[in-house]
Amino acid sequence: MRLSAVILAGGQGTRMKSNLPKVLHSLLGKPMAWYTLEAARQVTHSTPVMVIGHGADQVRQTLGDQAEYVLQQPQLGTGHAVMQAEPLLAGKTDLVLVIYADMPLLTAQTLGNLVEKAQSHTGPVSMVTVTTDETRGFGRILRDTRQQVSGIVEEAQATAEQLNIHELNPGVYCFRATWLWEALKRIQLSPKGEYYLTDLVGMAVAEGTVIQTLNVEDLNEVIGINTRLHLAQAEALLRQRINRDWMLAGVSMIDPSSVYIEPGVTLGQDTILWPGTYLHGNTQIGEGCVIGPNTIIKDTKVGDGCSLLASVLEGALLEEHVEMGPYCHLRKGAHLCKGVHMGNFGEVKNSTLGPGTKMGHFSYLGDTTVGAEANIGAGTITCNYDGTHKYPTEIGEGAFIGSDTMLVAPVKVGAGAKTGAGAVVTKDIPPHSLAVGVPARVIKELKK
Ligand code: UD1
Ligand code: CA
């Protein structure tokens, strides 16, 4: 059976008290709607249709080709919202999953179970329900004396007796497409002046069909986000879920509650994460690494067997067995080859450090290429910027840069060359020679 998903994201989200559309609020570095889109895509194997309204341009811009978009203008309720998807989907699908975009913890597993239920019955409506005392303003599921679903009543319209019902509507449905498009047109305006999607349930029952329900047990899955308090709760739960999966995949965490891992990050087996580890964006960590405490890594690839202590890395590449910290900062384009050692207070930007190179104490390298087995002395600085342009520095294999050397770029230090403490290097230094002073002069040839 052909299957498509419609995700409703047209509402304003007034209770967030924000200029940002609700579905764009961030959870672990991704907009809230990303999670629903991802779960829907995994189940339908197609691009979901997203109904947008409030902040439509911004939503479209942020989510890009993750969804196909239809505009709902004005927003006349959830039934009216689904109606907007008909031109895009009519005749192209047999089943339509409808999901509200503010439920980021909903899993593909649950959506898949719902679809299975819909496929194995002929009725036009299958839906998720949840039973809990925490009613959160959700619509109540009405059942008849035979315990069959007979309708949904919105909290605002519910009688005192109906308010005591604890089976709730989280807002996840699977409809037969032909029935859906036709039935949507028959929804009557509610007392609130909206077309309620939930009215379809009562309509299907009136036609003599049976509503299929899937009762989810994990209440967390259907936490709808209406306020920033809910947002923080959802983020904590997502974080727990991700950390749990990585621990089961062979990653150790000394204190999981203080480890922050975004979706999209990957980790190798036997890696240990200490408290205060933050892994952002497109970060890949190899096997057998020790990360943290207090380390922030973003969009960086870290090879096997690295140990990174109290450092910040962004847009960097580390080969195997790199040792770093405490207090290093790697910026965009930093490439540390195998076995590089960086001690405390080092900053590297757009530079390659060759295999086995050591940079032990408070140094800055920018726009620099360093060969293998070089030694960057304490306090070495590349003066790579003259206020207008940036210039490159080259340090050859096995070079020994003396403490407090200033390398005024563009400049080259040859292989095996040395600089004296406090040298200010303004001209290239030939291989295997010693340069000292301000400005630095070659005073001696060195043995190879
Ligand atoms: C809805 C359900 C309620 C359910 C609850 C779960 C209806 C009538 N009621 O109520 O039974 O328990 O969700 O959270 O469906 N949206 C649009 N266009 C609109 C209106 C809403 O796209 O014109 C979108 C919103 O952006 C949101 C979703 O639909 O993602 C739900 O809308 P919301 O206003 O939050 O519905 P509730 O009142 O919470
Ligand atoms: Ca809601």
Side-chain angles (χ1 to χ4, degrees), residues 20-236:
L20 192 68
K22 175 160 91 174
V23 294
L24 296 186
H25 277 260
S26 175
L27 286 167
L28 295 180
K30 304 269 187 205
M32 188 194 301
W34 180 87
Y35 293 89
T36 320
L37 287 168
E38 188 63 22
R41 208 181 39 76
Q42 275 178 37
V43 174
T44 63
H45 307 288
S46 62
T47 307
V49 173
M50 185 168 237
V51 182
I52 52 178
H54 276 281
D57 289 341
Q58 211 178 345
V59 174
R60 205 184 313 217
Q61 242 166 44
T62 308
L63 299 172
D65 59 12
Q66 289 175 58
E68 280 189 84
Y69 302 93
V70 286
L71 191 65
Q72 183 199 18
Q73 206 68 268
Q75 290 83 39
L76 300 178
T78 46
H80 178 253
V82 177
M83 224 184 238
Q84 313 307 311
E86 183 183 357
L88 238 91
L89 292 177
K92 297 198 187 114
T93 188
D94 302 305
L95 291 174
V96 184
L97 262 178
V98 176
I99 313 163
Y100 300 163
D102 58 1
M103 254 185 300
L105 283 117
L106 189 68
T107 61
Q109 173 81 48
T110 294
L111 290 178
N113 292 346
L114 180 66
V115 169
E116 245 172 57
K117 208 162 243 257
Q119 281 169 336
S120 59
H121 290 91
T122 52
V125 184
S126 307
M127 63 179 293
V128 169
T129 71
V130 60
T131 308
T132 167
D133 294 341
E134 236 191 283
T135 52
R136 281 178 175 255
F138 280 12
R140 308 297 203 270
I141 308 288
L142 308 178
R143 291 191 183 260
D144 62 21
T145 47
R146 295 176 355 264
Q147 288 309 306
Q148 303 283 7
V149 171
S150 57
I152 300 177
V153 62
E154 290 307 303
E155 186 169 271
Q157 273 95 54
T159 63
E161 198 182 336
Q162 287 167 335
L163 285 176
N164 279 327
I165 297 173
H166 291 250
E167 188 182 9
L168 313 172
N169 170 34
V172 187
Y173 321 83
C174 189
F175 298 102
R176 299 253 154 198
T178 42
W179 182 87
L180 174 67
W181 309 131
E182 183 276 323
L184 282 170
K185 297 179 182 110
R186 291 189 279 124
I187 297 178
Q188 305 290 309
L189 215 52
S190 78
K192 235 181 97 190
E194 288 189 4
Y195 296 94
Y196 287 165
L197 184 64
T198 42
D199 284 358
L200 292 182
V201 172
M203 287 160 62
V205 172
E207 289 167 23
T209 65
V210 174
I211 310 295
Q212 302 302 323
T213 56
L214 176 75
N215 198 264
V216 290
E217 265 147 40
D218 181 2
L219 299 179
N220 292 332
E221 261 203 67
V222 294
I223 287 188
I225 295 179
N226 293 318
T227 67
R228 291 184 199 241
L229 192 65
H230 301 150
L231 190 71
Q233 288 168 352
E235 182 160 83

